[in-house]
Amino acid sequence: MKFKQNDAQNQRIENITSNHLVVGVDIAKETQVARAVTYRGIEIGRPCSFKNDSLGFQKFLNWIKTIQKQHSKTSVIFGMEPTGHYWLNLAWWLLEQGFEVVVVNPYQVKSNKENRDNSPTKNDFKDALVIADMVKNGYYSPLRLPTGNYQALRVLMSDREFVIKQFITIKNQIHRWLDIWFPEYHLVFKDWSCKTSLVTLRLFPLPSELKVLTPKEIYARWKPHMKRRASISFAEALVEKAQQSIAQTVAPEQVKRSLLFLLDQYEALSIQLAHLEQEAISLLKEIPQAQSLLTIKGIGKITIAGILAETGDLSKYRHGQQVLRLAGLHLGEDSSGKHKGKVQITKRGRSGLRKFLYLAVLHLVVNNEEFRALRHHYTKIRKMKKVHSIIKLCGKLARILVGIVRQGQSYTPEKVVTALNAA
């Protein structure tokens, strides 16, 4: 049976019964606000403001139990916006107490804020009521907080993303340094990050230093730092380009110190990145479903680690469409009357998961025969644009990932080929 979003919406509405107390919580750094309604949207009890600490959480719990007792409500469902990181402690605490916790989309909260009072007014007390109304109407998503190895993997991949951003910044700064102080350098070393280039930049980065050296002296200076050195022709090219350089010669000591600082940062980040990736790969060995996913030819271990870090346990998903919605890769359009809007991805989801799915498909198109055939079918037979075909293949990959995990099987190329023939 295929997954239908309308069916899921109906199931979420049916999940809220007359015995439910629906609580909306507006998240903030220090003080949260909560309001409670019945399954029909009738507010009961007074609003509750509580601090983001243990005493505040206990006050919140006492408020809930009081309302439950007064109105004979046996079940409670909590809804909240995933605002930054401030909501995590409360969500974990509520789960530990055995409550059901769901999340609502901040975009939808903004769209629904005028439902009750037809006013654009926005404040914490109003937002809490809007969130409660959205939950009782079924406009929420189940909370999927990673646990165990999935949580550890999420932390590792988050740290990796942070290091990569810094790494790119440092590389850009080194590019800038070379463009200013040795613009001819790239004519000798097309890749400035190779071993010989890094040693050269540390020993004699400025053209003024290279001008006074012979190629043999440069070659000899390389020897203690490298087992395999570049040929003497590289040294000759360095001297030649240094003599032709248009770079300024002002503040040489300060300029060199600036480069050495950048190189130290570059090498430190390289080591950190390698350690994080190695730890993530080791952690994958402890996740059984990761081994099944790695049977897909063309997807690397880091890509699988990134996908699992964003989705958590894939066995909790009923269909690949849920993964697409989590990534914001599901399609949407803006049409009315005679106007036909452009169909495009919504991007209402996790950008990290969107990136890893997209990169995975790019690798599969190159290295996997079945996905390469699908790409050819979409672009040549069905005349899709190349970008559109990639997005469609992201959906195919999401369904394959969920199917492999739920069925406990390895990747079966024959099923993909059968689907292609059917298309």
Side-chain angles (χ1 to χ4, degrees):
M1 182 176 66
K2 292 186 176 180
F3 172 83
K4 297 294 185 181
Q5 182 60 26
N6 288 339
D7 294 337
Q9 176 73 17
N10 292 337
Q11 291 169 10
R12 288 194 292 268
I13 295 174
E14 293 170 354
N15 180 51
I16 311 297
T17 67
S18 59
N19 294 321
H20 267 92
L21 180 67
V22 183
V23 180
V25 184
D26 184 72
I27 299 295
K29 181 177 181 179
E30 297 180 354
T31 304
Q32 269 70 264
V33 177
R35 296 177 77 171
V37 301
T38 67
Y39 79 108
R40 293 179 61 192
I42 300 173
E43 185 175 9
I44 53 179
R46 297 177 62 86
C48 175
S49 298
F50 59 97
K51 295 291 184 180
N52 193 19
D53 54 32
S54 59
L55 292 177
F57 289 177
Q58 191 59 49
K59 174 186 175 182
F60 181 44
L61 181 60
N62 293 336
W63 176 77
I64 293 295
K65 289 182 176 180
T66 300
I67 295 180
Q68 276 188 280
K69 185 177 181 180
Q70 290 175 348
H71 298 272
S72 302
K73 300 298 182 183
T74 57
S75 302
V76 186
I77 182 171
F78 294 87
M80 61 186 71
E81 291 178 290
T83 306
H85 56 274
Y86 302 124
W87 66 285
L88 288 171
N89 287 332
L90 178 60
W92 279 117
W93 185 82
L94 288 172
L95 290 173
E96 289 173 357
Q97 305 303 313
F99 291 114
E100 182 179 4
V101 183
V102 298
V103 292
V104 297
N105 193 317
Y107 289 99
Q108 286 184 299
V109 174
K110 185 176 181 180
S111 301
N112 285 274
K113 68 180 180 179
E114 298 186 29
N115 287 354
R116 286 221 177 201
D117 57 5
N118 193 32
S119 169
T121 302
K122 184 184 185 304
N123 55 61
D124 295 344
F125 287 88
K126 180 177 178 179
D127 286 351
L129 185 58
V130 172
I131 292 170
D133 281 340
M134 290 177 59
V135 173
K136 66 96 176 173
N137 288 328
Y139 302 139
Y140 63 85
S141 300
L143 180 62
R144 294 189 178 94
L145 287 175
T147 57
N149 288 331
Y150 295 101
Q151 176 65 25
L153 193 61
R154 186 169 178 81
V155 173
L156 280 173
M157 297 306 291
S158 176
D159 290 342
R160 177 181 178 270
E161 187 67 21
F162 176 75
V163 170
I164 285 177
K165 288 180 180 179
Q166 290 186 311
F167 196 56
I168 293 173
T169 299
I170 293 298
K171 289 174 69 174
N172 291 338
Q173 288 294 317
I174 294 176
H175 274 294
R176 177 182 180 277
W177 190 97
L178 290 171
D179 288 342
I180 296 174
W181 304 108
F182 200 164
E184 298 81 10
Y185 190 82
H186 71 279
L187 298 176
V188 181
F189 293 104
K190 293 184 179 180
D191 179 15
W192 63 264
S193 62
C194 69
K195 179 66 176 179
T196 305
S197 174
L198 291 175
V199 171
T200 302
L201 290 175
R202 285 193 174 276
L203 294 176
F204 19 74
L206 296 175
S208 58
E209 296 177 329
L210 288 166
K211 288 179 181 179
V212 298
L213 297 175
T214 64
K216 290 184 178 181
E217 289 174 329
I218 294 173
Y219 192 77
R221 293 278 296 275
W222 280 341
K223 186 175 182 179
H225 302 279
M226 295 178 290
K227 293 181 179 179
R228 296 181 62 184
R229 299 173 299 283
S231 63
I232 193 68
S233 61
F234 276 86
E236 294 173 348
L238 272 174
V239 174
E240 178 184 353
K241 297 304 177 184
Q243 292 173 345
Q244 300 173 357
S245 179
I246 59 173
Q248 299 295 312
T249 57
V250 296
E253 294 302 320
Q254 289 75 17
V255 170
K256 285 178 60 178
R257 185 170 62 244
S258 174
L259 177 61
L260 291 176
F261 171 77
L262 292 174
L263 291 175
D264 289 341
Q265 295 293 312
Y266 175 82
E267 292 180 1
L269 290 171
S270 298
I271 294 172
Q272 290 177 359
L273 184 59
H275 286 170
L276 288 171
E277 291 183 347
Q278 187 58 47
E279 189 173 351
I281 292 172
S282 299
L283 193 58
L284 281 182
K285 297 177 182 178
E286 302 177 19
I287 301 177
Q289 62 183 235
Q291 307 311 311
S292 300
L293 298 178
L294 287 171
T295 60
I296 304 175
K297 181 182 178 181
I299 297 185
K301 295 179 179 179
I302 292 299
T303 303
I304 292 296
I307 292 173
L308 291 178
E310 294 290 339
T311 61
D313 187 355
L314 282 171
S315 64
K316 296 182 179 180
Y317 297 82
R318 290 178 296 160
H319 194 274
Q321 185 67 20
Q322 291 176 295
V323 176
L324 284 185
R325 296 188 73 86
L326 183 65
L329 282 171
H330 55 296
L331 300 177
E333 65 174 304
D334 184 9
S335 299
S336 178
K338 295 183 179 180
H339 170 70
K340 183 67 174 178
K342 183 179 180 181
V343 177
Q344 55 190 1
I345 60 174
T346 63
K347 294 188 179 180
R348 298 287 177 85
R350 295 182 177 177
S351 59
L353 179 56
R354 197 158 57 241
K355 180 187 76 171
F356 279 113
L357 285 175
Y358 189 84
L359 291 177
V361 168
L362 292 183
H363 288 297
L364 285 169
V365 167
V366 175
N367 302 306
N368 186 290
E369 294 180 5
E370 297 78 45
F371 274 79
R372 188 160 57 245
L374 281 170
R375 171 71 180 276
H376 180 269
H377 175 77
Y378 292 146
T379 55
K380 304 300 183 182
I381 307 301
R382 298 179 60 176
K383 304 300 181 182
M384 285 186 179
K385 293 182 179 179
K386 291 183 178 180
V387 174
H388 292 174
S389 68
I390 294 295
I391 299 302
K392 190 167 182 65
L393 287 173
C394 285
K396 183 68 174 179
L397 175 60
R399 291 190 291 274
I400 289 175
L401 294 175
V402 174
I404 285 176
V405 172
R406 288 184 64 86
Q407 297 174 18
Q409 299 177 352
S410 299
Y411 175 69
T412 308
E414 292 76 15
K415 291 185 177 181
V416 182
V417 174
T418 302
L420 175 61
N421 293 334

